[in-house]
Amino acid sequence: MSYPYLAPDYFQLDDLLTDEHKIVRSAIRDWVTRSIIPIIDQAAQNNEFPVRIIKELGELGAFGPFIPQEYGGAGLDHISYGLIMTELERGDSAIRSTASVQTSLVMYPIFTFGTEDQKRKYLPLLASGEMTGCFGLTEPNHGSDPGSMETRIEDKGDYFLLNGAKMWITNSPIADIAVVWAKDEKGMVRGLIAEKGMAGFSAPKTHNKWSLRASETGELVFDNVKIPKENIFPNIRGLKGPLMCLNSARYGIAWGAIGAAMDCYNTALQYSLERKQFSKPIASFQLQQKKLAEMLTEITKAQLLAWRLGTLKNANKASPAQISMAKRNNVKMALDIARESRQILGAMGITGDFPMMRHMMNLESVITYEGTHDIHLLITGNDITGIAAFE
Ligand code: TGC
Ligand code: FAD
């Protein structure tokens, strides 16, 4: 069951939003209430990605909201992008993942590093949801350390020959294109666009996940795939290419995780006011109030962090380390709230009638992907000491 959604705004952050922000947020919130909340538990239980949402997200403008309109985007600011992510993740992290990957990991690199022809060819179709993309950085032997990747391209004159494998790739089984990162003969990381249907390119699905069950995850396998030269990004070399994409996606996750936390808090608050034990609503007991008060405090701090990060991003001043801190803090905050709020519901909290277990399981992926909790801590450590402790 789901309660009416009373999104917490304890420090009146709405006063800082423009009318445009509120219109964008309200459109996504209504769609999530109408199209996601009624189906998402069953989709997750069945381990099925609701494919229809891709077209619907395209129609809503949730793909590439900050990409200029001439390429099919909505030309909005980064606070709008953040608010969209919050609303989508209130529905499920899988829904936000789809929009994150399409926007930050596929459209962003094509827009930032691509040729004019690549932009015109792919961006409008990706924005409308007529085309789906995925992002291949992680490999079976290299997750936190993508700089050691083994996937290779070889210049063959008319084309590049691509060999290697990527793993844990969101949307790979259903994607039409993949933005892939591989090293050239000089060991330099390059980015390219691989298209489904190219000989030697396959994308098997990953099974048996307990997390993000309403999301498609798979591999990317390249066996002597001929990549036309026009599919290479000419304007970027080195690991900073994929890491710049991750900055954008991690920024979105810092906002998105707040949506999952708010859904859990909202459910726990309303349940605790209704549920009686010892002839009183459980909300009247101090121990339950402590949980609720601390949850709201943490949500409020995360909202303030995200909002300030958004203003820095709009001014092109958000540093990668600031983004790491916000992603790390807000995802952990959401995971803790999913666990605490689940306890407020007692046994009912473990059922699919309420969203906590689903959010909790999803957030175990969110705290791992886009850089693990530990890696983001080390990024902060590096930033404040000037010493990289990765190796
Ligand atoms: P390092 O030597 O530090 O840096 C290499 C070059 O990159 C530059 N750089 C960055 N540039 C832009 N943004 C950033 N955040 C950057 N971080 C570093 C750096 O300045 C350097 O540039 P240059 O010009 O000197 O070459 O690199 P390292 O090999 O020591 O690794 C550093 C580390 C560990 C922080 C990094 O590799 C890392 O972030 N690892 C985590 C990997 C990760 O996040 N993978 C995510 C895969 S995609 C995903 O999970 C999608 S989930 C999607 C969904 O469903 O929502
Ligand atoms: P590892 O790197 O093996 O890390 C294992 C543990 O060791 C972690 O706890 C880590 O914090 C710790 N560790 C590693 N290095 C250090 C260190 N130097 N110091 C201290 N501790 C360390 N990737 C993509 O490219 N595209 C996608 O679309 C994508 N989607 C994903 C979807 C899902 C559902 C999941 C679960 C993952 C996805 N990923 C994707 C992969 C994700 O980015 C990686 O799982 C993540 O970067 C961690 O890599 P790993 O799993 O190989 O863990």
Side-chain angles (χ1 to χ4, degrees), residues 124-193:
L125 293 173
L126 290 161
S128 66
E130 288 164 89
M131 181 179 270
T132 307
C134 66
F135 176 89
L137 180 64
T138 306
E139 300 186 350
N141 295 327
H142 309 284
S144 299
D145 177 22
S148 301
M149 68 178 69
E150 294 166 46
T151 300
R152 289 286 183 276
I153 50 169
E154 243 182 288
D155 193 337
K156 292 288 184 186
D158 295 345
Y159 58 87
F160 287 99
L161 202 59
L162 174 64
N163 278 292
K166 301 288 177 179
M167 197 176 177
W168 298 113
I169 307 304
T170 299
N171 280 349
S172 82
I174 56 161
D176 304 292
I177 61 168
V179 167
V180 180
W181 301 93
K183 282 188 179 169
D184 65 16
E185 292 96 332
K186 294 182 194 138
M188 184 62 76
V189 174
R190 302 292 305 269
L192 58 91
I193 302 166

Side-chain angles (χ1 to χ4, degrees), residues 36-55:
I36 299 301
I37 301 297
I39 59 101
I40 192 63
D41 179 70
Q42 208 51 56
Q45 301 268 9
N46 295 346
N47 199 186
E48 270 171 18
F49 174 64
V51 184
R52 66 163 168 84
I53 69 157
I54 292 180
K55 283 303 285 290

